[in-house]
Amino acid sequence: MTTAIGSPAQPGRPGGHPRRDLRDFARGGAMGLASSIIAAASGFLLTVVVARTLGAAEAGVFFVVVALFTIVAEIAELGADTGLVRTAARLRALDRVADLRRVMVAAHVPVVIAGLACSVLGFVAAPWIAGTFADPGHRDTAELLVRIAAPFVGVMALARVSLGGTRGLGSVAAYSLINNVVLPGARPLLVGLVFVLGMGAAGVMVAWTVPVAVSFAAATIVLWRMLRRVERAESAGGASEESGSAAVREFWAFSGPRGFAAAVEIALVWANVPLVAVMVSSQDAGVYATANRFVSTGTLVLQAARIAVAPQVAAMLAREENDRAEQLNSLATRWVVLASWPIYLALACFGPFLLALFGEDFTGGAAALIVLAGAMLLALGAGNVQTVLLMGGKSTWSLANKVAALTINLVLTLLLVPPFGIVGAAAAWAVAMLVDTVAAAVQVRYLLGLRLDLRKITVTGLWALVWFGLTGVALRLAFGTSALVFGAYIVIACAGYGATLWRLRGSLEAGAFLGAIKNRGQNGKEKEKA
């Protein structure tokens, strides 16, 4: 994959070999993982700063607005972001580079219109939104925050679509740097400045939204520079009217259902925050959103694997190289389990200590955090099954899964939140997430015909469970959840787990994985000389 922004790679070219697939995944995955770690750390720091600056109640209002903003921005993308990842990779793999420019334009124009409409509606409807989702004492604040955020909805949608295009053209670096470093990294710094200046909730929302404009400008510039380079490097001739129109139809045939599915998916992630605010209180919404933020932070490994794997799998499936796609996906899933399960086991075992970092008002989310973390352990055991399904062109299947999951989530939330509060919200989300994951896994296995090596994945997960699960439970029962106990837990669990992984390094192909990363710069120089 690429090592410089704007320098396209050639994912999954014909004549590939599993070693080459591993090399490409290792390079892209390492870059994606590094940037995802930065994004996760920045998101965690942002949550701490917001919680400490605003307190649980106003933080709840802020997170409700962020949840609504995220859902609406996803709707405005119309599925074009994922559509460009798949379509651009397919067109290059099938030597149809001449059709890329028309598809890029066709992807962006409708998003401009949809984004503008969403921004205007959000600004005008701010009083109604505030009255619906905020406590009476916080409605003025909520209305102000909605009006600050609304103009940036369309900008965020366009930035995500452009970044999808860079991934489809082979650049992991562009997506990683802009979306996972610049955007999330700027937010806690700006919010920290707001805290120092004492600017309150409005200042926090300005600090959260302004980096969106920066990411949009950067993504747009990089995408069109990359497109010109790809056209020159791969000898794109003039696209015929028929070929270009067919490519656009194919793009929207996939992206249309994906747009609905993506909106439903983001609603599945965020919907319980405003629902808790409506059904319980803004303070409980803030606590739930904070616990949910921990869960989102733990998906950094999955995100890194998705960034690297998606264009490769799309190209392989376009050429019907299912065996290669199957092998790559199985290995990537093992690495996802290997690196992410320890995070969720630690969250489940030491939730009270970790939530106390946000303030004592947030420790009541520990039980909800256990439920959320447990669900993610099971969901991550399927790896990037959602990505494989989409790269196989099955956006309508994905849409059906998401609609079913969201329906289950909403029904269970209405039933469980009144008696159980945020634990009920967490349980509803957990059930919905597992339904979505199981449905996608069955479809990939029996309808696409791609298998996972469940035996090896299970072995990897069991060792994580031993060192980070059983060790954590034992230490917590014996000594509690203080900082000292948590520190000892991390040292013991990491040492034992590391020693186990060293013994398993052969089956994990760790040598080839690390060697590919180490030789990235050397191989890049060789390509330049060639």
Side-chain angles (χ1 to χ4, degrees), residues 384-398:
N384 273 288
V385 65
Q386 308 285 357
T387 298
V388 173
L389 189 65
L390 289 171
M391 293 304 101
K394 306 304 181 184
S395 56
T396 54
W397 298 0
S398 177

Side-chain angles (χ1 to χ4, degrees), residues 152-227:
F152 293 89
V153 169
V155 178
M156 172 64 87
L158 282 169
R160 291 286 177 83
V161 172
S162 293
L163 288 171
T166 65
R167 288 176 59 205
L169 294 178
S171 176
V172 174
Y175 181 91
S176 298
L177 181 59
I178 296 170
N179 192 68
N180 288 351
V181 177
V182 174
L183 179 61
R187 282 170 169 164
L189 297 177
L190 293 176
V191 172
L193 179 62
V194 166
F195 174 73
V196 171
L197 297 178
M199 296 173 64
V204 170
M205 184 55 71
V206 170
W208 190 84
T209 52
V210 165
V212 172
V214 178
S215 69
F216 162 69
T220 302
I221 292 170
V222 170
L223 173 63
W224 295 105
R225 287 182 61 188
M226 283 186 64
L227 179 59

